[in-house]
């Protein structure tokens, strides 16, 4: 066995292969150099980013069979945002809901639900693990987040994505954030279907994040806006999420 440390170039090549292999699974053409450049460009320390890219964070979460589906996908946290604005959307079957991509994008833009449904989709049966100690297996369908980021042209300077939600907990807006490794992970999707039907209100209608390598509270429901930022320090309480700001849970909740 060679004791020579892997060169940075070798690391880059293998991380590109890992990412490329995974993303090929979604049937998309994958621009290795561009994605690796984005991941590297987004980190203060390129070596740190490469090591993380090579680690198990790029592995797929386990996927299950139809037979494993939970009879009911129980809700947690907000079951219905019930604001005047949200109620109006619900009454209209969310036909006018839009997802705004704001912040560090070359082409900030808004996606209608029809546009999101018209994009290439991914379906996955995964287990959701809530920090409170329960799990549920559900079948989620949605657009890979990568495709939305590519359409809007994520800028080099972006390091995190912040998901702004329609609901408020004790008057404070729910939000969450992830880094670019999770953003480009092939199982990270904006889901609009659960078990072959539109996502129910209790589970985050009409659009919720699935970020399968992390615990339940990272999976933002009722998403209205995805903001690309360089730092989380200026966002809400600065810790990257509603529960993180409250002080209960860690920002990184990998499983
Ligand atoms: N907008 C919003 N997203 C949220 C929450 C919430 O209260 N509001 N709760 C989180 C928690 S703690 C969990 S476990 C999951 C629950 O998703 P479910 O309601 O589909 O079970 O959503 C997460 N995302
Ligand atoms: Mo949770």
């Amino acid at each position: 066995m060679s004791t020579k440390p892997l060169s940075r170039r070798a690391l880059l090549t293998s991380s590109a292969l890992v990412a490329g292999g995974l993303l090929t699974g979604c049937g998309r053409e994958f621009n290795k150099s561009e994605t690796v450049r984005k991941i590297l460009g987004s980190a203060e320390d390129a070596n740190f980013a490469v090591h993380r890219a090579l680690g198990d964070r790029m592995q797929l979460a386990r996927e299950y069979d139809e037979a494993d589906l939970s009879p009911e996908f129980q809700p947690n946290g907000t079951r219905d945002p019930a604001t005047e604005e949200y109620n109006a959307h619900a009454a209209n079957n969310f036909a006018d809901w839009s997802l705004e991509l704001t912040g560090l994008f070359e082409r900030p833009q808004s996606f209608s639900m029809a546009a999101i449904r018209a994009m290439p989709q991914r379906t996955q049966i995964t287990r959701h693990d809530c920090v409170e100690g329960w799990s549920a297996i559900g079948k989620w369908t949605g657009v890979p987040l990568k495709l939305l980021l590519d359409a809007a042209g994520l800028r080099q300077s972006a390091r995190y994505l912040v998901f702004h939600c329609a609901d408020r907990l004790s008057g404070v807006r729910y939000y969450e954030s992830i880094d670019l490794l999770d953003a480009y992970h092939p199982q990270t999707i904006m889901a609009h279907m659960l078990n072959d039907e539109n996502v129910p209100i209790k589970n985050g209608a009409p659009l919720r994040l699935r970020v399968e390598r992390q615990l339940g509270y990272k999976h933002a429901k009722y998403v209205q806006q995805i903001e690309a930022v360089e730092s989380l320090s200026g966002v809400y309480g600065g810790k990257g999420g509603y529960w993180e700001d409250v002080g209960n849970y860690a920002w990184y909740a990998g499983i």
Side-chain angles (χ1 to χ4, degrees):
M1 206 181 88
S2 165
T3 52
K4 225 172 82 185
L6 279 176
S7 68
R8 181 156 177 270
R9 190 180 150 75
L11 287 170
L12 282 173
T13 309
S14 39
S15 66
L17 288 175
V18 168
L22 291 176
L23 288 161
T24 309
C26 347
R28 294 291 303 173
E29 173 80 14
F30 178 63
N31 183 335
K32 289 165 192 162
S33 55
E34 197 199 355
T35 297
V36 170
R37 181 173 50 72
K38 271 183 191 153
I39 290 172
L40 291 177
S42 72
E44 283 159 341
D45 178 330
N47 267 333
F48 178 49
V50 170
H51 279 109
R52 290 197 317 167
L54 280 170
D56 76 347
R57 289 195 55 200
M58 284 308 282
Q59 281 176 20
L60 296 177
R62 178 170 168 197
E63 295 198 10
Y64 295 78
D65 297 324
E66 301 261 347
D68 303 316
L69 289 174
S70 301
E72 202 229 321
F73 201 103
Q74 73 175 80
N76 199 31
T78 303
R79 272 107 169 129
D80 184 348
T83 63
E84 211 173 298
E85 187 198 347
Y86 186 85
N87 289 345
H89 280 294
N92 192 24
N93 272 325
F94 302 101
D96 297 327
W97 189 271
S98 61
L99 175 68
E100 314 282 338
L101 265 58
T102 65
L104 300 172
F105 289 103
E106 301 292 343
R107 301 171 292 281
Q109 61 189 276
S110 152
F111 293 84
S112 67
M113 290 305 296
I116 286 171
R117 286 196 191 91
M119 293 174 80
Q121 305 287 301
R122 179 182 167 98
T123 294
Q124 58 205 26
I125 301 179
T126 52
R127 195 184 71 197
H128 176 105
D129 293 316
C130 173
V131 71
E132 292 169 22
W134 58 272
S135 304
I137 295 179
K139 178 180 182 182
W140 299 97
T141 300
V143 62
L145 181 56
K146 174 188 192 294
L147 301 186
L148 296 170
L149 302 181
D150 288 351
L154 189 65
R155 285 182 192 254
Q156 278 289 310
S157 48
R159 292 186 60 197
Y160 303 96
L161 298 176
V162 182
F163 298 78
H164 300 270
C165 306
D167 59 322
R168 280 150 186 82
L169 295 185
S170 349
V172 180
R173 198 164 180 189
Y174 197 95
Y175 83 100
E176 256 306 337
S177 62
I178 60 175
D179 68 9
L180 299 190
L181 281 180
D182 270 320
Y184 285 109
H185 188 284
Q187 289 170 318
T188 299
I189 64 175
M190 294 308 295
H192 52 84
M193 295 185 91
L194 169 59
N195 299 336
D196 299 319
E197 289 177 13
N198 288 338
V199 171
I201 287 176
K202 68 180 173 60
N203 299 110
L207 203 57
R208 67 101 47 94
L209 172 66
R210 294 301 307 169
V211 49
E212 304 292 354
R213 299 297 314 279
Q214 295 221 39
L215 287 173
Y217 60 90
K218 302 296 293 187
H219 300 234
K221 306 197 281 188
Y222 319 110
V223 177
Q224 289 182 303
Q225 187 192 339
I226 301 177
E227 183 186 4
V229 297
E230 199 171 341
S231 155
L232 295 171
S233 63
V235 184
Y236 298 97
K239 297 206 174 116
Y242 174 85
W243 289 112
E244 289 88 329
D245 284 344
V246 168
N248 290 9
Y249 303 141
W251 175 77
Y252 184 65
I255 47 178

